[in-house]
Coordinates of all heavy atoms in Angstrom, one line a residue:
A10 N 0.8 -1.2 0.0 CA 0.0 0.0 0.0 C 0.9 1.2 0.0 O 0.5 2.2 -0.6 CB -0.9 0.0 1.2
L11 N 2.0 1.2 0.7 CA 2.9 2.4 0.7 C 3.4 2.7 -0.7 O 3.6 3.8 -1.0 CB 4.0 2.2 1.7 CG 3.6 2.2 3.2 CD1 4.8 1.9 4.1 CD2 3.0 3.5 3.6
R12 N 3.7 1.7 -1.5 CA 4.4 1.9 -2.8 C 3.3 2.0 -3.9 O 3.7 2.2 -5.0 CB 5.3 0.7 -3.1 CG 6.4 0.6 -2.1 CD 7.5 1.5 -2.3 NE 8.5 1.2 -1.3 CZ 9.5 2.1 -1.1 NH1 9.5 3.2 -1.7 NH2 10.4 1.8 -0.2
D13 N 2.1 2.0 -3.5 CA 0.9 2.1 -4.6 C 1.0 3.5 -5.1 O 1.0 4.5 -4.4 CB -0.4 1.8 -3.9 CG -1.5 1.6 -4.9 OD1 -1.2 1.5 -6.1 OD2 -2.6 1.6 -4.5
A14 N 0.9 3.6 -6.4 CA 0.9 4.9 -7.1 C -0.2 5.7 -6.7 O -0.2 6.9 -6.7 CB 1.0 4.7 -8.7
A15 N -1.4 5.2 -6.4 CA -2.6 5.9 -6.0 C -2.3 6.6 -4.6 O -3.0 7.7 -4.4 CB -3.8 5.0 -5.9
N16 N -1.4 6.1 -3.8 CA -1.1 6.7 -2.5 C -0.2 7.9 -2.6 O 0.0 8.6 -1.7 CB -0.6 5.7 -1.5 CG -1.7 4.8 -1.1 OD1 -3.0 5.1 -1.2 ND2 -1.3 3.6 -0.8
C17 N 0.5 7.9 -3.8 CA 1.6 9.0 -3.9 C 1.1 10.0 -5.0 O 1.1 9.7 -6.2 CB 2.8 8.3 -4.4 SG 4.2 9.4 -4.5
R18 N 0.6 11.1 -4.6 CA 0.0 12.1 -5.5 C 0.9 13.3 -5.7 O 0.5 14.4 -5.5 CB -1.3 12.6 -4.9 CG -2.3 11.4 -4.6 CD -3.7 11.9 -4.7 NE -4.6 10.9 -4.1 CZ -5.0 9.8 -4.7 NH1 -4.3 9.5 -5.9 NH2 -5.8 8.9 -4.3
L19 N 2.2 13.0 -5.9 CA 3.1 14.1 -6.1 C 3.0 14.7 -7.5 O 2.5 14.0 -8.5 CB 4.5 13.6 -5.9 CG 4.9 13.1 -4.5 CD1 6.3 12.5 -4.5 CD2 4.7 14.2 -3.5
V20 N 3.4 15.9 -7.6 CA 3.3 16.6 -9.0 C 4.5 16.2 -9.8 O 5.6 15.9 -9.3 CB 3.3 18.1 -8.7 CG1 3.3 19.0 -10.0 CG2 2.2 18.5 -7.8
D21 N 4.3 16.2 -11.1 CA 5.3 15.8 -12.1 C 6.5 16.8 -12.0 O 6.3 18.0 -11.9 CB 4.7 15.7 -13.5 CG 5.7 15.2 -14.5 OD1 6.7 14.5 -14.1 OD2 5.6 15.6 -15.7
C22 N 7.7 16.3 -11.9 CA 8.8 17.1 -11.7 C 9.1 18.0 -12.9 O 9.9 19.0 -12.8 CB 10.0 16.3 -11.5 SG 10.0 15.3 -9.9
A23 N 8.5 17.8 -14.0 CA 8.8 18.6 -15.2 C 8.0 20.0 -15.1 O 8.5 20.9 -15.7 CB 8.3 17.9 -16.4
S24 N 7.0 20.1 -14.3 CA 6.2 21.3 -14.2 C 7.0 22.3 -13.4 O 7.7 22.0 -12.4 CB 4.8 21.1 -13.7 OG 4.9 20.6 -12.3
P25 N 6.8 23.6 -13.6 CA 7.5 24.7 -12.8 C 6.9 24.7 -11.4 O 5.6 24.6 -11.3 CB 7.3 25.9 -13.5 CG 6.2 25.7 -14.5 CD 6.1 24.2 -14.8
G26 N 7.7 24.9 -10.4 CA 7.2 24.9 -9.1 C 6.8 23.5 -8.4 O 6.2 23.5 -7.4
A27 N 7.3 22.5 -9.1 CA 6.8 21.2 -8.7 C 7.6 20.8 -7.4 O 6.9 20.2 -6.5 CB 7.3 20.1 -9.7
A28 N 8.8 21.3 -7.2 CA 9.5 21.0 -5.9 C 8.8 21.6 -4.7 O 8.6 20.9 -3.7 CB 10.9 21.5 -6.0
R29 N 8.3 22.8 -4.9 CA 7.6 23.5 -3.8 C 6.3 22.8 -3.5 O 5.9 22.5 -2.3 CB 7.4 24.9 -4.1 CG 6.7 25.7 -2.9 CD 6.7 27.2 -3.1 NE 8.0 27.8 -3.6 CZ 8.1 28.5 -4.7 NH1 7.1 28.8 -5.5 NH2 9.3 29.0 -5.0
Q30 N 5.5 22.3 -4.5 CA 4.3 21.7 -4.4 C 4.5 20.3 -3.8 O 3.8 19.9 -2.9 CB 3.5 21.5 -5.7 CG 2.9 22.9 -6.3 CD 2.4 22.7 -7.6 OE1 2.7 21.8 -8.3 NE2 1.4 23.7 -7.9
N31 N 5.5 19.6 -4.2 CA 5.8 18.3 -3.7 C 6.2 18.3 -2.3 O 5.8 17.5 -1.4 CB 6.9 17.6 -4.6 CG 6.4 17.1 -5.9 OD1 5.2 16.9 -6.0 ND2 7.3 16.9 -6.8
E32 N 7.0 19.4 -1.9 CA 7.4 19.6 -0.5 C 6.2 19.8 0.4 O 6.1 19.2 1.4 CB 8.4 20.7 -0.4 CG 8.9 20.9 1.0 CD 9.8 22.0 1.1 OE1 10.2 22.7 0.2 OE2 10.2 22.4 2.3
H33 N 5.2 20.6 -0.2 CA 4.0 20.9 0.6 C 3.2 19.6 0.8 O 2.7 19.3 2.0 CB 3.2 21.9 -0.1 CG 1.9 22.2 0.6 ND1 1.8 22.9 1.8 CD2 0.6 21.9 0.2 CE1 0.5 23.0 2.2 NE2 -0.2 22.4 1.3
I34 N 3.0 18.8 -0.3 CA 2.3 17.5 -0.1 C 3.0 16.6 0.8 O 2.3 15.9 1.6 CB 2.2 16.9 -1.6 CG1 1.4 17.7 -2.5 CG2 1.7 15.4 -1.5 CD1 1.4 17.4 -4.0
I35 N 4.3 16.5 0.8 CA 5.0 15.6 1.6 C 4.9 16.0 3.1 O 4.7 15.2 4.0 CB 6.5 15.5 1.2 CG1 6.7 14.8 -0.2 CG2 7.4 14.8 2.2 CD1 8.0 14.8 -0.8
R36 N 5.0 17.3 3.3 CA 4.9 17.8 4.7 C 3.5 17.5 5.2 O 3.4 17.2 6.5 CB 5.2 19.3 4.8 CG 6.6 19.6 4.6 CD 6.9 21.1 4.8 NE 8.3 21.4 4.6 CZ 9.3 21.3 5.5 NH1 8.9 20.9 6.8 NH2 10.5 21.6 5.3
K37 N 2.5 17.7 4.4 CA 1.1 17.4 4.9 C 0.9 15.9 5.2 O 0.3 15.5 6.2 CB 0.1 17.7 3.8 CG -0.3 19.2 3.8 CD -1.3 19.6 2.7 CE -2.6 18.8 3.0 NZ -3.6 19.2 2.0
A38 N 1.6 15.0 4.4 CA 1.5 13.6 4.7 C 2.2 13.3 5.9 O 1.7 12.4 6.8 CB 2.1 12.8 3.5
V39 N 3.4 13.8 6.2 CA 4.1 13.5 7.4 C 3.3 14.1 8.6 O 3.3 13.3 9.6 CB 5.6 14.2 7.3 CG1 6.2 14.2 8.7 CG2 6.4 13.5 6.3
G40 N 2.7 15.2 8.5 CA 2.0 15.7 9.6 C 0.8 14.8 9.9 O 0.5 14.5 11.1
R41 N 0.1 14.3 8.9 CA -1.0 13.5 9.1 C -0.5 12.2 9.7 O -1.2 11.6 10.6 CB -1.7 13.1 7.8 CG -3.0 12.4 7.8 CD -3.6 12.2 6.5 NE -3.8 13.4 5.7 CZ -3.3 13.6 4.5 NH1 -2.7 12.6 3.9 NH2 -3.4 14.7 3.9
G42 N 0.7 11.7 9.3 CA 1.2 10.4 9.9 C 1.5 10.6 11.4 O 1.2 9.7 12.2
R43 N 2.1 11.8 11.7 CA 2.4 12.0 13.2 C 1.1 12.1 14.0 O 1.1 11.7 15.1 CB 3.2 13.3 13.2 CG 4.6 13.2 12.7 CD 5.4 14.4 13.0 NE 6.8 14.2 12.5 CZ 7.6 15.2 12.2 NH1 7.3 16.4 12.2 NH2 8.8 14.8 11.8
Y44 N 0.1 12.7 13.4 CA -1.2 12.8 14.1 C -1.8 11.5 14.3 O -2.2 11.1 15.4 CB -2.2 13.7 13.2 CG -3.6 13.6 13.7 CD1 -4.0 14.3 14.8 CD2 -4.6 12.8 13.1 CE1 -5.3 14.2 15.4 CE2 -5.9 12.7 13.6 CZ -6.2 13.4 14.7 OH -7.5 13.3 15.2
V45 N -1.7 10.6 13.3 CA -2.2 9.2 13.5 C -1.4 8.4 14.6 O -2.0 7.8 15.5 CB -2.2 8.4 12.2 CG1 -2.4 7.0 12.4 CG2 -3.1 9.0 11.2
I46 N -0.2 8.7 14.7 CA 0.7 8.0 15.7 C 0.3 8.5 17.1 O 0.1 7.7 18.0 CB 2.2 8.3 15.4 CG1 2.7 7.5 14.2 CG2 3.0 7.9 16.6 CD1 4.0 7.8 13.8
R47 N 0.1 9.9 17.2 CA -0.4 10.4 18.5 C -1.7 9.8 18.9 O -1.9 9.4 20.1 CB -0.5 11.9 18.5 CG 0.8 12.6 18.6 CD 0.7 14.1 18.9 NE -0.2 14.8 18.0 CZ 0.1 15.4 16.9 NH1 1.4 15.4 16.5 NH2 -0.8 16.0 16.2
E48 N -2.7 9.7 18.0 CA -3.9 9.1 18.3 C -3.8 7.6 18.7 O -4.5 7.2 19.6 CB -4.9 9.3 17.1 CG -5.3 10.6 16.8 CD -6.2 11.2 17.9 OE1 -7.1 10.5 18.4 OE2 -6.0 12.3 18.4
M49 N -3.0 6.9 18.0 CA -2.7 5.5 18.4 C -2.1 5.4 19.8 O -2.5 4.5 20.6 CB -1.8 4.8 17.4 CG -2.5 4.6 16.1 SD -1.4 3.9 14.7 CE -0.9 2.5 15.5
E50 N -1.2 6.2 20.1 CA -0.6 6.2 21.5 C -1.6 6.5 22.5 O -1.7 5.9 23.6 CB 0.5 7.3 21.6 CG 1.8 6.9 20.8 CD 2.8 8.0 20.8 OE1 2.6 9.1 21.2 OE2 4.0 7.6 20.4
G51 N -2.6 7.5 22.2 CA -3.6 7.8 23.2 C -4.6 6.6 23.4 O -5.0 6.4 24.5
T52 N -4.9 6.0 22.3 CA -5.8 4.8 22.3 C -5.1 3.7 23.2 O -5.8 3.0 24.1 CB -6.0 4.3 20.9 OG1 -6.6 5.4 20.2 CG2 -7.0 3.2 21.0
I53 N -3.8 3.5 23.0 CA -3.1 2.5 23.8 C -3.1 2.8 25.2 O -3.3 1.9 26.1 CB -1.7 2.2 23.2 CG1 -1.7 1.6 21.8 CG2 -0.8 1.4 24.1 CD1 -0.5 1.6 21.1
Q54 N -2.8 4.1 25.6 CA -2.8 4.5 26.9 C -4.2 4.4 27.6 O -4.3 3.9 28.7 CB -2.3 6.0 27.1 CG -0.8 6.2 26.8 CD -0.4 7.6 26.8 OE1 -1.2 8.5 26.9 NE2 0.9 7.8 26.6
L55 N -5.2 4.7 26.8 CA -6.5 4.5 27.4 C -6.8 3.0 27.7 O -7.4 2.7 28.7 CB -7.6 5.0 26.4 CG -9.0 5.0 26.8 CD1 -9.3 5.8 28.1 CD2 -9.9 5.5 25.7
K56 N -6.5 2.1 26.8 CA -6.6 0.8 26.9 C -5.9 0.2 28.2 O -6.4 -0.5 29.0 CB -6.2 0.0 25.7 CG -6.4 -1.5 25.8 CD -6.0 -2.2 24.4 CE -6.5 -3.6 24.4 NZ -5.6 -4.5 25.1
K57 N -4.7 0.7 28.4 CA -3.9 0.3 29.6 C -4.6 0.8 30.8 O -4.7 0.1 31.8 CB -2.5 0.9 29.5 CG -1.5 0.2 28.5 CD -0.2 0.8 28.5 CE 0.8 0.2 27.5 NZ 2.1 0.8 27.5
Y58 N -5.1 2.0 30.8 CA -5.7 2.6 32.0 C -6.9 1.8 32.3 O -7.2 1.5 33.4 CB -6.1 4.1 31.7 CG -7.0 4.6 32.7 CD1 -6.6 5.0 34.0 CD2 -8.4 4.8 32.4 CE1 -7.5 5.5 34.9 CE2 -9.3 5.3 33.3 CZ -8.8 5.7 34.5 OH -9.7 6.2 35.5
R59 N -7.7 1.5 31.3 CA -9.0 0.7 31.5 C -8.7 -0.7 32.1 O -9.3 -1.2 33.0 CB -9.8 0.6 30.3 CG -10.5 1.9 30.0 CD -11.3 1.8 28.7 NE -12.0 3.1 28.4 CZ -12.6 3.3 27.2 NH1 -12.5 2.5 26.3 NH2 -13.2 4.5 27.1
T60 N -7.6 -1.3 31.6 CA -7.2 -2.6 32.0 C -6.8 -2.5 33.5 O -7.2 -3.4 34.3 CB -6.1 -3.2 31.2 OG1 -6.6 -3.2 29.8 CG2 -5.7 -4.5 31.6
M61 N -6.0 -1.5 33.9 CA -5.5 -1.4 35.2 C -6.7 -1.1 36.1 O -6.8 -1.7 37.3 CB -4.5 -0.2 35.3 CG -3.2 -0.6 34.6 SD -2.2 -1.8 35.4 CE -1.5 -0.9 36.7
R62 N -7.6 -0.3 35.7 CA -8.8 0.1 36.6 C -9.7 -1.2 36.7 O -10.2 -1.5 37.8 CB -9.6 1.1 35.9 CG -10.7 1.7 36.8 CD -11.4 2.8 36.2 NE -12.2 2.3 35.0 CZ -12.9 3.0 34.2 NH1 -12.9 4.2 34.2 NH2 -13.6 2.4 33.3
R63 N -9.8 -2.0 35.7 CA -10.6 -3.2 35.7 C -9.9 -4.3 36.7 O -10.5 -5.0 37.5 CB -10.8 -3.8 34.3 CG -11.8 -4.9 34.3 CD -12.1 -5.4 32.9 NE -12.3 -4.3 32.0 CZ -11.5 -4.1 30.9 NH1 -10.4 -4.8 30.6 NH2 -11.7 -3.1 30.1
R64 N -8.6 -4.3 36.6 CA -7.8 -5.3 37.3 C -7.7 -4.9 38.8 O -7.8 -5.8 39.6 CB -6.4 -5.4 36.8 CG -5.5 -6.5 37.3 CD -4.3 -6.6 36.6 NE -4.4 -7.0 35.3 CZ -3.6 -6.8 34.3 NH1 -2.3 -6.2 34.5 NH2 -3.8 -7.2 33.0
Y65 N -7.4 -3.7 39.1 CA -7.2 -3.2 40.5 C -8.3 -2.5 41.1 O -8.2 -2.0 42.2 CB -5.9 -2.5 40.6 CG -4.7 -3.3 40.1 CD1 -4.0 -3.0 39.0 CD2 -4.3 -4.4 40.9 CE1 -3.0 -3.8 38.5 CE2 -3.3 -5.2 40.5 CZ -2.6 -4.8 39.3 OH -1.5 -5.6 38.9
G66 N -9.4 -2.3 40.4 CA -10.6 -1.6 41.0 C -10.6 -0.1 40.7 O -9.7 0.5 40.1
E67 N -11.6 0.6 41.3 CA -11.8 1.9 40.9 C -10.9 2.8 41.8 O -10.8 4.0 41.5 CB -13.3 2.3 41.3 CG -14.3 1.6 40.3 CD -14.2 2.2 38.9 OE1 -13.9 3.5 38.8 OE2 -14.4 1.4 38.0
G68 N -10.2 2.3 42.8 CA -9.4 3.1 43.6 C -9.9 3.1 45.1 O -10.6 2.1 45.5
V69 N -9.5 4.0 45.9 CA -10.0 4.1 47.3 C -11.4 4.4 47.4 O -11.9 5.4 46.9 CB -9.1 5.1 48.1 CG1 -9.6 5.1 49.5 CG2 -7.6 4.8 48.0
D70 N -12.1 3.6 48.1 CA -13.6 3.8 48.3 C -13.7 4.6 49.6 O -13.8 4.1 50.7 CB -14.3 2.4 48.5 CG -15.8 2.6 48.7 OD1 -16.3 3.7 48.4 OD2 -16.4 1.6 49.2
V71 N -13.7 6.0 49.5 CA -13.7 6.8 50.6 C -14.9 6.7 51.4 O -14.9 6.6 52.6 CB -13.5 8.3 50.2 CG1 -13.5 9.3 51.3 CG2 -12.2 8.4 49.4
G72 N -16.1 6.7 50.8 CA -17.4 6.5 51.5 C -17.4 5.3 52.3 O -17.8 5.2 53.5
G73 N -17.1 4.1 51.6 CA -17.2 2.8 52.3 C -16.1 2.7 53.5 O -16.4 2.1 54.5
E74 N -15.0 3.2 53.2 CA -13.9 3.2 54.2 C -14.3 4.1 55.4 O -14.1 3.6 56.6 CB -12.6 3.7 53.5 CG -11.4 3.6 54.4 CD -11.0 2.2 54.5 OE1 -11.4 1.3 53.7 OE2 -10.1 1.8 55.4
A75 N -14.9 5.2 55.2 CA -15.3 6.1 56.3 C -16.4 5.4 57.2 O -16.4 5.4 58.4 CB -15.8 7.4 55.8
S76 N -17.3 4.7 56.6 CA -18.4 4.1 57.3 C -17.8 2.9 58.1 O -18.2 2.6 59.2 CB -19.5 3.6 56.4 OG -19.1 2.6 55.5
R77 N -16.9 2.2 57.4 CA -16.2 1.0 58.1 C -15.4 1.5 59.4 O -15.6 0.9 60.5 CB -15.3 0.3 57.2 CG -14.7 -1.0 57.7 CD -13.7 -1.6 56.8 NE -12.5 -0.8 56.6 CZ -11.5 -0.7 57.6 NH1 -11.6 -1.4 58.7 NH2 -10.5 0.1 57.3
I78 N -14.7 2.6 59.2 CA -14.0 3.1 60.4 C -14.9 3.6 61.5 O -14.7 3.3 62.6 CB -13.0 4.3 59.9 CG1 -11.9 3.6 59.0 CG2 -12.4 4.9 61.1 CD1 -11.0 4.6 58.4
G79 N -16.0 4.2 61.1 CA -17.0 4.7 62.1 C -17.6 3.6 62.8 O -17.8 3.7 64.1
S80 N -18.0 2.5 62.1 CA -18.5 1.4 62.8 C -17.6 0.7 63.8 O -17.9 0.3 64.9 CB -19.2 0.4 61.9 OG -18.2 -0.2 61.0
S81 N -16.3 0.7 63.3 CA -15.3 0.1 64.2 C -15.1 0.9 65.4 O -14.9 0.4 66.6 CB -14.0 -0.1 63.4 OG -14.1 -0.9 62.4
L82 N -15.1 2.2 65.3 CA -15.0 3.1 66.4 C -16.0 2.9 67.4 O -15.8 2.9 68.6 CB -14.8 4.5 65.9 CG -14.5 5.6 66.9 CD1 -13.2 5.3 67.7 CD2 -14.5 7.0 66.3
K83 N -17.3 2.8 66.9 CA -18.5 2.7 67.8 C -18.4 1.4 68.5 O -18.6 1.3 69.7 CB -19.8 2.7 66.9 CG -20.2 4.1 66.5 CD -21.4 4.0 65.6 CE -21.7 5.3 65.0 NZ -22.9 5.2 64.0
D84 N -17.9 0.3 67.9 CA -17.8 -1.0 68.5 C -16.7 -0.9 69.6 O -16.9 -1.4 70.7 CB -17.4 -2.1 67.6 CG -18.6 -2.4 66.6 OD1 -19.7 -2.1 67.0 OD2 -18.2 -3.0 65.5
F85 N -15.6 -0.2 69.3 CA -14.5 -0.1 70.2 C -15.0 0.7 71.5 O -14.7 0.4 72.6 CB -13.4 0.7 69.6 CG -12.2 0.9 70.5 CD1 -11.4 -0.1 70.9 CD2 -12.0 2.2 71.0 CE1 -10.3 0.1 71.8 CE2 -10.9 2.4 71.9 CZ -10.1 1.4 72.3
L86 N -15.8 1.8 71.3 CA -16.3 2.6 72.5 C -17.3 1.8 73.3 O -17.4 2.1 74.4 CB -16.8 3.9 71.9 CG -15.9 4.9 71.3 CD1 -16.5 6.1 70.7 CD2 -14.8 5.3 72.3
R87 N -18.0 1.0 72.7 CA -19.0 0.1 73.4 C -18.3 -0.9 74.3 O -18.9 -1.2 75.4 CB -19.9 -0.6 72.4 CG -21.2 0.2 72.1 CD -22.1 -0.7 71.3 NE -22.3 0.0 70.0 CZ -22.5 -0.7 68.9 NH1 -22.6 -2.0 68.9 NH2 -22.6 0.0 67.7
Q88 N -17.2 -1.3 73.9 CA -16.5 -2.3 74.7 C -16.0 -1.7 76.0 O -15.8 -2.4 77.0 CB -15.3 -2.9 74.0 CG -15.8 -3.8 72.8 CD -14.6 -4.3 72.0 OE1 -13.5 -4.0 72.2 NE2 -14.9 -5.1 71.0
K89 N -15.7 -0.4 76.0 CA -15.1 0.2 77.2 C -16.1 0.5 78.2 O -17.0 0.6 78.6 CB -14.4 1.5 76.8 CG -13.0 1.2 76.2 CD -12.3 2.5 76.1 CE -10.8 2.1 75.8 NZ -10.0 3.3 75.9

């Protein structure tokens, strides 16, 4: 696919100003390629994040932890 003539839309070198036009086309293609790479990296990072979240949970359960500590404290005070 990379060597396919349909993917390479450069201007014929015989025309005047072809070098400038070809440089512009190449720069646009390189920019588009860099954008695709950044998007792929973002997608991979999101997948890793979701996997870690699924594997290790949502994080610290502040509400549940506070209620557990509160009930433990009440039990401790009742014993005294």
Side-chain angles (χ1 to χ4, degrees):
L11 291 176
R12 302 279 182 197
D13 190 10
N16 290 335
C17 185
R18 305 202 190 294
L19 297 178
V20 179
D21 185 24
C22 293
S24 64
R29 188 174 305 128
Q30 288 177 339
N31 284 342
E32 182 181 354
H33 178 70
I34 292 169
I35 291 170
R36 287 186 184 274
K37 278 180 63 175
V39 168
R41 191 177 308 125
R43 288 182 177 161
Y44 170 77
V45 169
I46 289 171
R47 281 194 310 269
E48 288 295 314
M49 288 173 61
E50 287 174 348
T52 303
I53 291 168
Q54 289 176 356
L55 179 63
K56 184 177 189 281
K57 286 180 181 179
Y58 167 75
R59 286 180 176 166
T60 302
M61 295 291 282
R62 191 178 68 187
R63 195 176 310 119
R64 187 175 295 160
Y65 298 110
E67 294 290 325
V69 177
D70 180 18
V71 176
E74 189 71 15
S76 66
R77 186 185 66 76
I78 291 173
S80 64
S81 297
L82 184 60
K83 286 179 189 175
D84 291 340
F85 177 74
L86 292 176
R87 271 190 242 148
Q88 289 176 357
K89 282 191 166 191

